[in-house]
Amino acid sequence: MRFVPASDNSLLVVVDEASAPSFEASASVHALFRAIRAQSFAWLRDLHPAYTTLLLDFDASSIAPDAVERAAAAIAHVDEKATLSSGKLVHLRVDYDGD
């Protein structure tokens, strides 16, 4: 896991360095998303999950970026083994024909 400043008030958490998205990476991102959201931090403005990353938007006037990183790292460490086990996998058959 790697943390990259994305702006003055956002931090990108790179959960997986894989070149291609995977179910495992997505599961880790969404587990971290749920774990951080559950904390209801007053300084947290929004969360933006992607395939292998999670963007945290925060109120820079109430918390320093390094404190955001420490909080996310602590949650990620505790929630390291979490997966999307609460959901279920659904396969949809798709036919592409015509316009």
Side-chain angles (χ1 to χ4, degrees), residues 23-53:
F23 177 79
E24 292 78 16
S26 181
S28 295
V29 168
H30 284 276
L32 182 59
F33 168 82
R34 287 189 310 273
I36 291 175
R37 185 180 59 189
Q39 295 296 315
S40 299
F41 292 118
W43 47 261
L44 186 63
R45 289 186 176 160
D46 207 354
L47 293 167
H48 307 276
Y51 286 117
T52 60
T53 61

Side-chain angles (χ1 to χ4, degrees), residues 35-86:
I36 291 175
R37 185 180 59 189
Q39 295 296 315
S40 299
F41 292 118
W43 47 261
L44 186 63
R45 289 186 176 160
D46 207 354
L47 293 167
H48 307 276
Y51 286 117
T52 60
T53 61
L54 178 63
L55 183 69
L56 286 77
D57 289 327
F58 59 91
D59 180 2
S61 66
S62 64
I63 190 168
D66 60 328
V68 174
E69 182 176 332
R70 285 192 306 273
I75 291 169
H77 179 71
V78 168
D79 205 49
E80 205 169 47
K81 301 294 182 188
T83 64
L84 288 176
S85 60
S86 61

Side-chain angles (χ1 to χ4, degrees), residues 6-25:
S7 72
D8 290 344
N9 62 344
S10 62
L11 179 70
L12 185 67
V13 182
V14 181
V15 174
D16 192 330
E17 299 285 347
S19 58
S22 68
F23 177 79
E24 292 78 16

